[in-house]
Amino acid sequence: QKEVEQDPGPLSVPEGAIVSLNCTYSNSAFQYFMWYRQYSRKGPELLMYTYSSGNKEDGRFTAQVDKSSKYISLFIRDSQPSDSATYLCAPRGVDSSYKLIFGSGTRLLVRP
Amino acid sequence: DARVTQTPRHKVTEMGQEVTMRCQPILGHNTVFWYRQTMMQGLELLAYFRNRAPLDDSGMPKDRFSAEMPDATLATLKIQPSEPRDSAVYFCASRSGTSYEQYFGPGTRLTVT
């Protein structure tokens, strides 16, 4: 079993829809949770991160962590065609390396 | 506008040839990561360095892959000999200290025929 599981999609939604992207993880010691966005043929870039359980909002994006169920979510409100990308969740490792453990990514397509 | 640079951006080579990929981390970043991305496996960590010292290369096939950081502005990833299964996009990322954010380069798209 992989440490981080993510549905690969693709997920296709109409413009303006609310999008929910999800990950599950196995290591209960994870404390920091990142979401990276990767456009086609580009490197991943950090979208937002959360610490421990709870919600964090940044504009149209909300990241949510439920440590009790080891479940991470990213919500996108009023989705735009420019949000079309692959979204990777990445808990941060708990040893001193601070390595990121990436999920396989969910491909999102927002149709105009 | 500080960013990680990688060269070459694309490389097509024949099986058995040596491939060298280069990365220039963001100035002042002391931790450098090498990743490989494929459709099947996603983004896999191959190796990483802190202050130019290799700390973990357990994700790398040791018999053919090698990673070095000859100075603070250059990291290299070599494959010798290359095989078709090495075809992937190779990303370099850098990070400052214990910051949570890794900054990724644009990647090197490698095709081994």
Side-chain angles (χ1 to χ4, degrees):
Chain A
Q1 185 192 1
K2 287 188 176 181
E3 279 193 279
V4 181
E5 300 274 4
Q6 197 173 359
D7 188 331
L11 180 62
S12 180
V13 301
E15 183 175 351
I18 296 174
V19 175
S20 172
L21 303 166
N22 308 296
C23 283
T24 57
Y25 62 93
S26 57
N27 190 338
S28 58
F30 289 150
Q31 295 279 10
Y32 287 88
F33 303 89
M34 320 294 171
W35 281 98
Y36 275 76
R37 177 175 60 194
Q38 185 176 20
Y39 290 114
S40 181
R41 299 190 172 259
K42 302 281 188 187
E45 56 181 356
L46 182 67
L47 187 60
M48 56 193 305
Y49 79 99
T50 53
Y51 172 71
S52 195
S53 279
N55 291 2
K56 184 173 183 178
E57 193 174 314
D58 185 0
R60 297 184 294 109
F61 298 86
T62 300
Q64 192 173 76
V65 177
D66 181 349
K67 292 195 72 184
S68 62
S69 57
K70 300 194 190 75
Y71 199 79
I72 315 164
S73 300
L74 178 71
F75 299 97
I76 308 174
R77 288 186 301 281
D78 187 24
S79 56
Q80 303 293 308
S82 59
D83 296 327
S84 298
T86 297
Y87 291 80
L88 303 117
C89 63
R92 195 180 78 173
V94 296
D95 62 18
S96 61
S97 71
Y98 303 112
K99 289 186 290 190
L100 298 179
I101 318 296
F102 282 92
S104 55
T106 299
R107 206 169 121 229
L108 172 67
L109 175 62
V110 181
R111 308 185 306 271
Chain B
D1 182 25
R3 58 182 69 189
V4 176
T5 58
Q6 289 185 248
T7 56
R9 293 294 311 278
H10 299 89
K11 176 75 176 178
V12 179
T13 191
E14 291 184 348
M15 184 172 67
Q17 296 298 305
E18 178 179 300
V19 175
T20 298
M21 291 170 267
R22 293 177 175 79
C23 166
Q24 182 172 16
I26 292 173
L27 192 63
H29 283 191
N30 67 340
T31 307
V32 174
F33 302 84
W34 280 106
Y35 291 91
R36 175 172 62 186
Q37 188 174 41
T38 61
M39 289 291 290
M40 293 297 294
Q41 299 296 328
L43 202 57
E44 303 173 279
L45 179 66
L46 296 175
Y48 81 98
F49 296 77
R50 183 177 296 157
N51 297 322
R52 296 176 53 203
L55 289 191
D56 186 353
D57 60 2
S58 59
M60 216 161 61
K62 306 275 193 315
D63 56 337
R64 299 184 300 109
F65 284 59
S66 62
E68 293 180 346
M69 213 167 159
D71 62 60
T73 63
L74 177 65
T76 62
L77 180 67
K78 269 188 198 168
I79 308 174
Q80 169 61 22
S82 57
E83 296 181 2
R85 60 182 165 147
D86 301 329
S87 297
V89 182
Y90 291 81
F91 287 103
C92 172
S94 71
R95 188 189 73 202
S96 169
T98 56
S99 167
Y100 52 83
E101 183 168 4
Q102 293 182 22
Y103 294 81
F104 282 78
T108 294
R109 185 172 294 270
L110 174 65
T111 303
V112 183
T113 60

